[in-house]
């Protein structure tokens, strides 16, 4: 497969507000037709970065290349980029149709073309029955679709979405995640979504970037980031991780109680340095076979039944925090465990990730 | 509710009813009131001499309203665009003159506009040597006084909807390809019309009945309805005619307020109606 074309290149972009650095030298390539997620805790600079892509903020330093052309200083109304606002920002005095037509009227297109393009996008977003309503007469999910239609009808090169599902309740959010992905596929527009919800970006994104304190920590596919986090922060932020603090050795980490955790040690880590070994809850097995590289015993402190799986909190001598272990429904049925039970845990060296502390 | 009703009856309804009743009587030969029923006073209100004063008052009040709305809206816009923590400070200074006495504020304009006043002195200092411009005792002076005195109302009335406006609406408009001017015309202005209307009605109603400003800045010969009413009661001693003029003035004010209320009601009523249709 040939390498997909780069649509947007963010080149060493920084943004300072007075003495505060919101975005600190970020470089990223966003490819044609991909669903890209900017993920990070609040205050990580993801919204500032998005606003620079939309044109509402100018970078203090660096370039933003769209199709190879620097647009860093182009005003928002002159760039083929549209933003779907977190608050949706629908015009309250205009009907759904007028809201969606607005952007095309600004392009001074013929009335007939505006009408047919608006009709088409209203059909795609299932808004036809609501075309004459005012925003205040719509539900949250409908407003979200109007905001999306209003941006998509412009056929931008790049659609930016600022926490698009933040205002929806949990159930609707799940449905809209799939809906957004379907729409993105259908219209063939590159989406860049900003979110603080790691699950959301794992589900939706083709590739994602994890940001913290204005810096880029890692940029890759959700699978690669989940399985091979770049550092301890990413490991903790994406999904759930069990951490075992200790000191690095040649072939793993020596925990505080002297137990040896086998795993691949990064080259940068010198033996004796503070380090953490980590393992995902779903990689831990109950009652492992004798040849499993890493084994420990613990006491079940709590059980949480989730239908699909059973989550155990197991107190072990390896770390001050209890381990979280996910047992599939199958395994739980074969050998039931109860709160207070002594259990054996085990996991392979290949499932261990080791980071500098 | 009940205390408010008593208060309203005692201080509004009864005095107005008394004045209204007064308008249907004759003027006594030596002043005073001759208690025989007549409609003459209302007929006299439509006499070209007095109708002309009504028209002139409406024109002056209308001009003052227009100028006050333009300046007041611009000021409110500037304040709402300032950093959040500075906005109360700017608002405080915008409204500050309002806390001093109305008469003192009006006298200050005499000091400014006088033939040898501050403006003339400033012109001289800048090298102007001709006749001092006559600014005081003109219609312009009256309008300036009215605008100045009622500007804080307009600023406050326009600031309220402007400060409540979600700034992302303007950004969304820009994002969709609109220039700053188009964004103002199609998004910001329509959404702040209620504030403009409230401020405009305020200035118009207070201006058309004003008698202090025309008396002080317009000079003795300058008459608006307020001065006319004042003269009938206190100089000409024709209380019945004064009462008829006052009633005509109140009727104009009520009409303006009703038109505004009706327009506001229609705006919200239309939204409610379409909502009902959509749900049904």
């Amino acid at each position: 497969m040939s390498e997909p074309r780069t649509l947007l290149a963010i080149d060493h972009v920084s943004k300072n507000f007075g003495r505060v650095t919101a975005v600190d030298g970020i470089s990223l390539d966003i490819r044609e037709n991909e669903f890209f997620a900017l993920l990070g805790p609040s205050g990580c600079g993801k919204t500032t970065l998005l606003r620079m892509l939309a044109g509402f903020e100018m970078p203090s330093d660096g370039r933003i290349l769209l199709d190879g052309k620097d647009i860093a200083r182009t005003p928002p109304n002159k760039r083929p980029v549209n933003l779907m606002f977190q608050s949706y920002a629908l015009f309250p005095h205009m009907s759904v149709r007028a809201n969606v037509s607005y952007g095309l009227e600004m392009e001074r297109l013929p009335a007939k073309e505006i009408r047919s393009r608006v009709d088409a996008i209203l059909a795609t977003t299932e808004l036809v029955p609501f075309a004459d309503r005012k925003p205040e007469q719509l539900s949250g999910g409908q407003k979200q679709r109007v905001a999306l239609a209003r941006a998509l009808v412009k056929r931008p090169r790049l659609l930016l979405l600022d926490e698009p599902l933040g205002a929806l309740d949990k159930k609707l959010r799940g449905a809209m995640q799939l809906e957004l992905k379907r729409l993105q596929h259908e219209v063939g527009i590159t989406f860049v979504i900003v979110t603080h919800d790691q699950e959301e970006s794992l589900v939706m994104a083709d590739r994602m970037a994890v940001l913290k304190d204005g810096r880029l920590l890692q940029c890759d596919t959700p699978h690669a980031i989940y399985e091979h986090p770049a550092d301890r922060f990413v490991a903790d932020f994406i999904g759930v991780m069990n951490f075992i603090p200790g000191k690095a050795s040649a072939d793993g980490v020596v925990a505080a109680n002297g137990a040896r955790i086998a795993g691949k040690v990064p080259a940068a880590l010198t033996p004796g340095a503070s380090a953490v070994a980590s393992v995902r809850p779903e990689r831990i097995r109950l009652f492992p076979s004798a040849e499993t590289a890493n084994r420990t015993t613990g006491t079940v402190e709590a059980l949480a039944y989730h239908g699909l799986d059973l989550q155990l909190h197991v107190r072990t001598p390896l770390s001050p925090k209890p381990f979280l272990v996910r047992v599939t429904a199958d395994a739980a049925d074969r050998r039931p465990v109860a709160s207070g039970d002594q259990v054996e845990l085990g996991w392979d060296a290949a499932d261990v990730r080791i980071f500098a502390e | 509710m009940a205390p408010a009703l008593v208060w309203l009856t005692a201080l509004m309804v009864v005095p107005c009813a008394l004045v209204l009743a007064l308008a249907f009587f004759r003027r006594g030969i030596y002043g005073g009131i001759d208690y025989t029923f007549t409609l003459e006073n209302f007929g006299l209100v439509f006499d070209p001499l007095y109708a002309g004063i009504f028209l002139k008052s409406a024109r002056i009040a209308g001009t003052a309203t227009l100028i006050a709305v333009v300046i007041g809206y611009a000021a409110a816009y500037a304040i709402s665009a300032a950093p959040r923590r500075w906005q109360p400070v700017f608002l405080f200074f915008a409204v500050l003159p309002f806390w001093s006495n109305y008469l003192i504020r009006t006298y200050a304009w005499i000091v400014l506009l006088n033939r040898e006043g501050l403006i003339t002195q400033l012109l001289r200092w800048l090298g102007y040597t001709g006749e001092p411009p006559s600014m005081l005792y003109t219609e312009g002076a009256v309008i300036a006084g009215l605008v100045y005195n009622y500007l804080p109302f307009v600023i406050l009335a326009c600031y309220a909807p402007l400060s409540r406006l979600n700034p992302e609406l303007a950004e969304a408009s820009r994002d969709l390809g609109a220039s700053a001017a188009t964004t103002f015309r199609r998004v910001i202005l329509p959404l702040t019309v209620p504030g403009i209307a409230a401020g405009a009605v305020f200035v118009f109603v207070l201006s058309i009945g004003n008698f202090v400003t025309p008396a002080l800045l317009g000079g003795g010969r300058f008459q608006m309805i307020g001065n006319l009413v004042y003269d009938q009661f206190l100089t000409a001693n024709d209380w019945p005619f004064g009462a008829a003029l006052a009633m005509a003035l109140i009727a104009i004010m009520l009409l303006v307020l009703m038109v505004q209320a009706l327009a506001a009601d229609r705006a919200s009523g239309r939204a409610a109606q379409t909502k009902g249709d959509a749900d049904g």
Side-chain angles (χ1 to χ4, degrees):
Chain A
M1 213 175 92
S2 67
E3 186 74 358
R5 211 176 75 84
T6 295
L7 174 69
L8 184 87
I10 299 167
D11 181 19
H12 294 93
V13 164
S14 295
K15 177 69 185 179
N16 309 312
F17 294 106
R19 293 172 61 189
V20 181
T21 302
V23 171
D24 192 0
I26 287 185
S27 293
L28 274 178
D29 281 352
I30 291 164
R31 297 168 190 162
E32 187 101 54
N33 284 340
E34 82 176 334
F35 200 126
F36 192 92
L38 292 169
L39 176 70
S42 59
C44 71
K46 59 189 190 293
T47 298
T48 305
L49 185 59
L50 194 78
R51 289 177 61 82
M52 286 193 281
L53 300 187
F56 295 121
E57 306 285 354
M58 271 185 206
S60 311
D61 200 9
R63 298 184 305 163
I64 298 171
L65 303 166
L66 184 76
D67 292 320
K69 211 181 99 214
D70 192 358
I71 57 161
R73 263 142 236 291
T74 310
N77 53 329
K78 300 266 164 65
R79 42 175 101 182
V81 174
N82 284 106
L83 170 61
M84 187 183 135
F85 289 82
Q86 189 175 5
S87 72
Y88 306 144
L90 301 179
F91 304 129
H93 57 304
M94 296 182 197
S95 68
V96 168
R97 174 175 289 283
N99 263 283
V100 177
S101 308
Y102 189 86
L104 297 182
E105 286 166 22
M106 294 307 130
E107 291 178 30
R108 301 188 193 287
L109 294 176
K112 235 177 100 185
E113 190 188 339
I114 293 180
R115 203 171 168 83
S116 69
R117 269 170 73 173
V118 169
D119 283 341
I121 199 76
L122 288 179
T124 311
T125 49
E126 290 165 8
L127 284 167
V128 176
F130 313 109
D132 296 323
R133 289 206 196 175
K134 291 275 174 69
E136 57 166 19
Q137 300 162 249
L138 301 175
S139 71
Q142 290 162 352
K143 281 184 197 165
Q144 197 245 15
R145 297 213 301 274
V146 177
L148 197 59
R150 189 175 68 173
L152 284 177
V153 79
K154 299 265 295 174
R155 296 180 188 156
R157 296 286 288 134
L158 185 68
L159 179 68
L160 311 170
L161 304 99
D162 189 6
E163 302 271 3
L165 307 176
L168 304 179
D169 62 63
K170 203 174 171 188
K171 203 153 190 174
L172 194 56
R173 203 150 49 195
M176 287 311 290
Q177 286 175 0
L178 298 175
E179 178 71 12
L180 269 183
K181 249 196 112 65
R182 181 187 70 80
L183 262 172
Q184 192 257 339
H185 204 74
E186 197 175 313
V187 295
I189 290 173
T190 307
F191 277 31
V192 175
I193 179 175
V194 151
T195 178
H196 67 273
D197 185 339
Q198 47 94 16
E199 213 178 305
E200 199 165 285
S201 49
L202 288 179
V203 170
M204 291 198 285
D206 298 322
R207 289 192 314 138
M208 57 198 253
V210 184
L211 273 58
K212 189 199 174 202
D213 298 334
R215 289 171 187 276
L216 175 68
L217 298 183
Q218 194 171 6
C219 174
D220 213 323
T221 62
H223 180 261
I225 290 182
Y226 187 82
E227 294 299 339
H228 298 280
D231 66 11
R232 197 211 144 116
F233 175 83
V234 177
D236 197 18
F237 191 67
I238 308 290
V240 180
M241 192 65 107
N242 295 301
F243 290 104
I244 304 157
K247 301 258 182 264
S249 69
D251 55 358
V253 167
V254 181
N257 72 339
R260 306 183 74 84
I261 310 297
K264 188 172 181 295
V265 183
L269 216 52
T270 50
S274 286
V276 280
S278 61
V279 58
R280 296 281 184 200
E282 66 274 17
R283 299 288 181 186
I284 301 177
R285 291 189 301 279
L286 280 183
F287 311 110
S289 58
E291 55 268 26
T292 305
N294 297 299
R295 289 148 57 104
T296 185
T297 54
T299 316
V300 177
E301 280 191 339
L303 290 133
Y305 179 62
H306 284 259
L308 202 63
D309 62 7
L310 188 67
Q311 300 194 354
L312 306 180
H313 289 253
V314 183
R315 174 72 62 189
T316 72
L318 293 178
S319 76
K321 275 171 76 179
F323 266 41
L324 188 77
V325 182
R326 292 176 69 163
V327 185
T328 59
D330 265 8
D333 285 348
R334 272 202 303 277
R335 191 157 178 184
V337 285
S339 195
D341 283 3
Q342 281 285 117
V343 290
E344 260 189 75
L345 306 176
W347 60 95
D348 296 334
D351 293 330
V352 172
R353 305 284 173 262
I354 295 171
F355 307 108
E357 179 65 293
Chain B
M1 191 68 194
L5 218 61
V6 171
W7 184 85
L8 205 68
T9 311
L11 296 174
M12 276 289 298
V13 179
V14 172
C16 280
L18 286 176
V19 176
L20 181 64
L22 208 56
F24 290 101
F25 297 121
R26 248 179 243 283
R27 178 194 177 191
I29 300 162
Y30 306 105
I33 298 145
D34 174 4
Y35 290 97
T36 46
F37 180 84
T38 177
L39 288 174
E40 267 174 29
N41 297 314
F42 288 102
L44 202 55
V45 168
F46 293 98
D47 181 284
L49 176 64
Y50 300 114
I53 292 178
F54 269 97
L55 283 178
K56 181 170 136 193
S57 302
R59 194 189 68 228
I60 289 171
T63 312
T65 302
L66 193 72
I67 297 172
V69 163
V70 170
I71 299 175
Y73 191 89
Y77 189 88
I79 293 172
S80 71
R84 275 267 164 214
R85 63 202 168 96
W86 284 106
Q87 291 183 14
V89 179
F90 291 144
L91 266 187
F92 173 77
F93 281 111
V95 182
L96 190 61
F98 198 68
W99 299 110
S100 69
N101 186 287
Y102 188 102
L103 278 175
I104 292 174
R105 276 180 285 153
T106 308
Y107 274 116
W109 277 93
I110 298 181
V111 175
L112 271 177
L113 300 176
N114 212 341
R115 279 179 78 81
E116 291 304 322
L118 288 175
I119 292 179
T120 307
Q121 285 177 29
L122 183 70
L123 287 175
R124 290 256 158 80
W125 184 77
L126 288 171
Y128 177 78
T129 49
E131 269 290 291
S134 45
M135 293 173 292
L136 194 59
Y137 307 133
T138 61
E139 196 173 302
V142 176
I143 291 170
L146 292 172
V147 167
Y148 173 75
N149 275 310
Y150 297 133
L151 199 56
F153 286 122
V154 186
I155 295 178
L156 287 178
C158 293
Y159 173 77
L162 276 169
S163 66
R164 274 200 306 268
L165 209 61
N166 176 2
E168 288 193 343
L169 290 178
E171 288 186 346
S173 169
R174 301 278 282 141
D175 186 69
L176 291 167
S179 64
T182 307
T183 297
F184 178 76
R185 188 171 51 81
R186 292 206 45 187
V187 176
I188 297 171
L189 195 61
L191 288 173
T192 48
V193 157
I196 298 175
V201 166
F202 227 104
V203 178
F204 186 82
V205 166
L206 289 176
S207 293
I208 196 169
N210 196 301
F211 64 94
V212 176
T213 300
L216 292 177
L217 299 180
R221 288 160 295 127
F222 194 90
Q223 286 213 311
M224 283 173 65
I225 317 170
N227 311 100
L228 199 59
V229 175
Y230 181 93
D231 285 350
Q232 295 308 317
F233 275 97
L234 296 170
T235 314
N237 238 339
D238 190 345
W239 284 31
F241 182 50
L245 286 170
M247 279 300 132
L249 182 58
I250 288 176
I252 293 174
M253 291 175 175
L254 281 178
L255 197 76
V256 171
L257 287 170
M258 262 167 58
V259 167
Q260 191 226 354
L262 222 73
D265 204 47
R266 258 239 317 255
S268 61
R270 200 170 32 221
Q273 200 181 11
T274 44
K275 192 172 197 164
D277 290 350
D279 290 345

